[in-house]
Amino acid sequence: MKKKLLNAFIPALIVSIASSAVLANITMDERTIPTPVGISSEMANVIEKRVHPPVMPVPESTEAWLAFQSQFNMAGIELAQKGMDRLGVTYEAKSYAGVDTFFVTPKELSPEYQGKWLIHLHGGAFVFGGGESALREAAWIAGGLGAQVISIDYRKPPLHPFPAALEDTVAVWKELMKTQKPEATAIFGTSAGGNLTLATVLKLQQMGLPTPGAIYAGTPVTDLKLTSDSWYTMKGLDPLGQREGLIQATIDLYADGEGLANPLLSPIYAEIEDFPPTLFLTGTRDLLLSDTVRMHRLLRSADVETLLHVYDGQSHADYMAGLLADVPESDDAIREIGLFFNKHLK
Amino acid sequence: MKKKLLNAFIPALIVSIASSAVLANITMDERTIPTPVGISSEMANVIEKRVHPPVMPVPESTEAWLAFQSQFNMAGIELAQKGMDRLGVTYEAKSYAGVDTFFVTPKELSPEYQGKWLIHLHGGAFVFGGGESALREAAWIAGGLGAQVISIDYRKPPLHPFPAALEDTVAVWKELMKTQKPEATAIFGTSAGGNLTLATVLKLQQMGLPTPGAIYAGTPVTDLKLTSDSWYTMKGLDPLGQREGLIQATIDLYADGEGLANPLLSPIYAEIEDFPPTLFLTGTRDLLLSDTVRMHRLLRSADVETLLHVYDGQSHADYMAGLLADVPESDDAIREIGLFFNKHLK
């Protein structure tokens, strides 16, 4: 047995420092991944039964983007309606501060959310997920927490790139602050909605406005400039697909030429001094696992009160499965969000 | 564009419930993984320069295991010595409560650790990492925190399988409790040492003995019975290697016929009612990512005070690289451990 092998085995990390071989790129072999053992049968059912979509083409004109966007949202609208029926959640479309919004109301309002509205920013790669399809996460949270939610149908590309979405979220925030205290208010969202949640806080700080009492950022994309590790490691395992192609195109469409290192686009590049208490959710099979844990560490480095919950075997935003079925991990996520909001919202 | 594709794209998780296609196993294609963008240049240096060892054969006799074990530990002893020199940490080998231990002392004792000893349980797949090679993590923590550490060189297979190690850890605990309060004492360890840290607490609870004020379980193996997801997803990316073969053999050697669902072997099967505050560390490229996050969730489900920190791009126990070099992520881990101990140790 050569000493080099011995060295490399258990203390691989430590030996490496003295090693001279360079292996910047690591090749991972093809593999077959069984259903995770560490998840509920209900979540296993979700994972086993879904279809992984093929790579989809990038629309080549504004018209093609608009048509694609509209088709996309139709599927989400149907799911949102099913979820709202299941959870007994209702909504009203309103123009609020000049912005399209949905005011979402649970069947039963929990005592801690009486007279209080939470703000929701939907996901969908900055381009998709608008209209009533925004109501999927809003309904899941409204029903799960027993809370009233304002879901912002912020303006989106291709017609309204950055910073239109943030202008809308800030406008709604300012309007709501006329009747509600910031420390009593949470903003939340998943994926691009997690990005916008973080970016909205940064924008409010830039403007010298008060910030929310707590936020929940579900598996947020935090680095639009560089491709975080899990985009490579989880490719093909997470049904979200891949960054190359359509998703990168949505990022470019959203940024519209603005430098991607702008923290309002990529919150990971923010200089954090203080920040509201932040809850992060993600999964071990999530393409945005790396984006999420990087942001968690950035906030921790500034001593922000922040919690990270990582669900085993879950791909992008799988914790939201509770919209359409009873899934223990979804109940657990709701419980964590509720505990966090109850602790930090005044 | 077929509706099925639209459905499956953004809300893949949600559509899946209604889908009829079954894909229990997912095939991940071969891929090349570049150095993560979300890490320090120092950690990138660690990752890029190390050699991934080939699969090693399983020893076929007690004598072969003993020889392998001894060779293995030699490499670790050398690294421990380098680390202790670098950090100015010293040690004394002692028999304490009839158990082989190392009393590890930092160059400078921090005020909060005056008159207080922390207990360390080393890693090494239950079989390796003994003798002075145990001092790697002990030295890193002693030097990093400025704390005195008793590192237990617990008995190991092939001569001493389960429950010998736990008998040793409990014996040391009971002896130390004659001069130190449990709520002022932390137990910690990484990998198999994380498993033993968790199992020692469970054993103390079974015996009706007081438990530590806080524990830190670094990327612990918590499920010896079933193979958690990240053993599949991270295979070939984490230089630790693979579960099949040598590592599974060490598990079998350690369990020695005891059922692997015994929580003292696999803490994930414990029924948790209360548990000391627990800090978990792991990485997004860690073969034990799933074991770690599963245990974090189990403790959370019982309302235990527990924090999870996941380092981007790190494989198994990479956070410990600070033993031999200045690595910001290692400093960050030390900072988190220190904050956690300071908060919870009385």
Side-chain angles (χ1 to χ4, degrees):
Chain A
M1 180 69 56
K2 284 182 290 181
K3 185 162 175 211
K4 192 173 186 184
L5 294 191
L6 291 177
N7 269 349
F9 183 63
I10 285 188
L13 73 138
I14 288 171
V15 170
S16 63
I17 293 168
S19 162
S20 60
V22 174
L23 266 179
N25 293 327
I26 297 173
T27 299
M28 294 178 76
D29 295 336
E30 182 186 291
R31 70 208 46 212
T32 299
I33 311 286
T35 302
V37 297
I39 62 177
S40 68
S41 57
E42 294 88 343
M43 185 56 83
N45 193 43
V46 170
I47 291 173
E48 290 182 350
K49 290 201 173 159
R50 65 176 151 213
V51 178
H52 285 220
V55 174
M56 277 183 283
V58 178
E60 289 178 357
S61 67
T62 299
E63 292 66 31
W65 271 109
L66 287 169
F68 192 32
Q69 191 178 39
S70 159
Q71 278 188 290
F72 232 120
N73 293 351
M74 279 169 52
I77 291 168
E78 197 180 310
L79 296 169
Q81 194 56 60
K82 277 187 194 167
M84 286 187 286
D85 291 347
R86 199 179 95 82
L87 299 170
V89 167
T90 54
Y91 75 98
E92 190 182 348
K94 282 192 191 180
S95 177
Y96 184 81
V99 175
D100 290 339
T101 63
F102 301 105
F103 278 57
V104 184
T105 310
K107 192 162 50 179
E108 251 177 275
L109 189 59
S110 298
E112 59 267 42
Y113 295 106
Q114 296 281 351
K116 186 184 292 184
W117 292 87
L118 310 180
I119 293 178
H120 172 238
L121 309 178
H122 70 80
F126 302 104
V127 172
F128 306 108
E132 275 88 348
S133 74
L135 292 166
R136 287 167 294 168
E137 186 175 31
W140 176 61
I141 291 288
L145 296 183
Q148 303 174 114
V149 172
I150 301 172
S151 183
I152 305 181
D153 190 10
Y154 51 82
R155 286 171 297 153
K156 278 172 275 290
L159 300 182
H160 304 286
F162 176 87
L166 292 179
E167 288 167 2
D168 289 351
T169 62
V170 168
V172 169
W173 174 263
K174 288 169 75 174
E175 184 67 21
L176 185 61
M177 288 309 99
K178 294 177 182 169
T179 55
Q180 189 168 313
K181 290 188 174 162
E183 60 269 26
T185 310
I187 306 181
F188 68 93
T190 283
S191 193
N195 171 292
L196 292 170
T197 296
L198 297 162
T200 297
V201 170
L202 294 170
K203 183 69 187 171
L204 294 174
Q205 289 181 329
Q206 283 183 6
M207 297 172 78
L209 293 172
T211 53
I215 68 175
Y216 132 54
T219 182
V221 54
T222 62
D223 192 348
L224 304 188
K225 184 180 170 198
L226 297 172
T227 301
S228 292
D229 201 43
S230 51
W231 286 101
Y232 298 100
T233 59
M234 296 299 151
K235 182 175 164 178
L237 189 58
D238 186 329
L240 180 61
Q242 59 180 33
R243 180 143 173 167
E244 314 92 275
L246 187 62
I247 291 180
Q248 188 60 49
T250 65
I251 290 173
D252 296 339
L253 204 62
Y254 174 59
D256 195 36
E258 176 72 24
L260 296 179
N262 181 339
L264 298 180
L265 285 168
S266 300
I268 198 67
Y269 299 109
E271 286 182 22
I272 304 290
E273 286 183 12
D274 57 289
F275 208 79
T278 301
L279 179 74
F280 292 99
L281 302 182
T282 186
T284 60
R285 289 185 175 189
D286 195 320
L287 280 166
L288 287 158
L289 171 64
S290 289
D291 272 54
T292 305
V293 305
R294 290 174 65 195
M295 195 71 204
H296 178 243
R297 296 247 53 79
L298 178 65
L299 296 191
R300 281 297 309 142
S301 73
D303 283 322
V304 173
E305 284 208 65
T306 175
L307 290 180
L308 171 67
H309 299 297
V310 182
Y311 289 97
D312 188 39
Q314 290 191 22
S315 291
H316 196 55
D318 277 350
Y319 51 79
M320 237 189 276
L323 176 65
L324 293 182
D326 287 327
V327 177
E329 287 89 341
S330 277
D331 295 343
D332 182 86
I334 288 286
R335 178 174 170 274
E336 291 289 4
I337 294 165
L339 286 170
F340 195 79
F341 284 176
N342 283 343
K343 179 174 178 188
H344 295 291
L345 296 183
K346 306 294 181 239
Chain B
M1 181 65 60
K2 282 181 293 179
K3 185 162 175 211
K4 194 173 187 184
L5 294 190
L6 291 176
N7 268 348
F9 182 64
I10 284 187
L13 73 137
I14 287 173
V15 170
S16 63
I17 293 168
S19 164
S20 60
V22 174
L23 267 180
N25 293 325
I26 296 172
T27 299
M28 294 179 75
D29 294 336
E30 183 186 289
R31 71 207 47 211
T32 300
I33 312 285
T35 302
V37 297
I39 61 177
S40 68
S41 58
E42 294 87 344
M43 185 56 82
N45 194 43
V46 170
I47 290 172
E48 290 181 349
K49 289 201 174 158
R50 68 178 149 211
V51 177
H52 285 220
V55 174
M56 278 185 282
V58 178
E60 289 179 356
S61 68
T62 300
E63 291 66 33
W65 271 110
L66 287 168
F68 192 33
Q69 192 178 38
S70 159
Q71 279 187 288
F72 232 121
N73 293 350
M74 280 169 53
I77 292 169
E78 197 181 308
L79 296 169
Q81 194 55 61
K82 277 189 193 166
M84 286 187 286
D85 291 348
R86 198 179 95 83
L87 299 170
V89 167
T90 54
Y91 75 99
E92 190 182 347
K94 282 192 191 180
S95 177
Y96 183 79
V99 175
D100 290 341
T101 63
F102 302 105
F103 278 57
V104 184
T105 310
K107 191 162 53 181
E108 250 178 275
L109 189 60
S110 298
E112 58 268 42
Y113 295 106
Q114 297 282 350
K116 185 185 293 185
W117 292 85
L118 309 180
I119 294 179
H120 171 239
L121 309 178
H122 69 80
F126 302 105
V127 171
F128 307 108
E132 276 87 348
S133 73
L135 292 166
R136 286 167 294 169
E137 187 175 31
W140 176 61
I141 291 289
L145 296 184
Q148 304 174 112
V149 172
I150 301 173
S151 183
I152 305 182
D153 189 12
Y154 51 81
R155 288 170 296 153
K156 278 172 275 289
L159 300 182
H160 304 286
F162 175 86
L166 291 179
E167 288 168 2
D168 290 352
T169 62
V170 168
V172 168
W173 175 263
K174 286 169 76 173
E175 184 67 22
L176 185 61
M177 288 310 97
K178 294 177 183 170
T179 56
Q180 190 167 311
K181 290 189 174 157
E183 61 268 27
T185 311
I187 306 181
F188 69 93
T190 283
S191 194
N195 171 292
L196 292 170
T197 297
L198 297 163
T200 296
V201 170
L202 294 171
K203 183 71 185 170
L204 294 174
Q205 289 182 329
Q206 283 182 7
M207 297 172 77
L209 293 171
T211 53
I215 67 175
Y216 133 53
T219 182
V221 53
T222 62
D223 192 347
L224 303 189
K225 184 181 170 197
L226 296 172
T227 302
S228 292
D229 201 45
S230 52
W231 286 100
Y232 298 100
T233 59
M234 295 300 151
K235 183 175 165 178
L237 189 57
D238 185 330
L240 179 61
Q242 59 181 33
R243 180 143 173 169
E244 314 90 277
L246 187 63
I247 291 180
Q248 187 60 49
T250 65
I251 290 173
D252 296 338
L253 204 63
Y254 174 58
D256 194 35
E258 177 72 23
L260 296 178
N262 181 340
L264 298 180
L265 286 168
S266 300
I268 197 69
Y269 299 109
E271 285 182 24
I272 305 289
E273 285 184 13
D274 57 289
F275 208 79
T278 301
L279 180 75
F280 292 98
L281 301 181
T282 186
T284 60
R285 289 184 175 190
D286 194 320
L287 280 165
L288 287 159
L289 171 64
S290 289
D291 273 52
T292 305
V293 303
R294 288 174 66 194
M295 196 71 203
H296 178 244
R297 295 250 51 80
L298 178 66
L299 296 190
R300 281 296 309 141
S301 73
D303 284 321
V304 173
E305 282 208 65
T306 176
L307 290 180
L308 171 68
H309 298 297
V310 182
Y311 289 97
D312 189 39
Q314 290 192 21
S315 291
H316 196 55
D318 277 350
Y319 51 80
M320 239 189 273
L323 176 66
L324 292 182
D326 287 327
V327 177
E329 287 89 340
S330 277
D331 295 343
D332 181 85
I334 288 287
R335 178 173 170 274
E336 290 288 3
I337 295 165
L339 286 171
F340 195 78
F341 284 177
N342 284 342
K343 179 173 179 187
H344 294 291
L345 296 183
K346 306 290 181 237

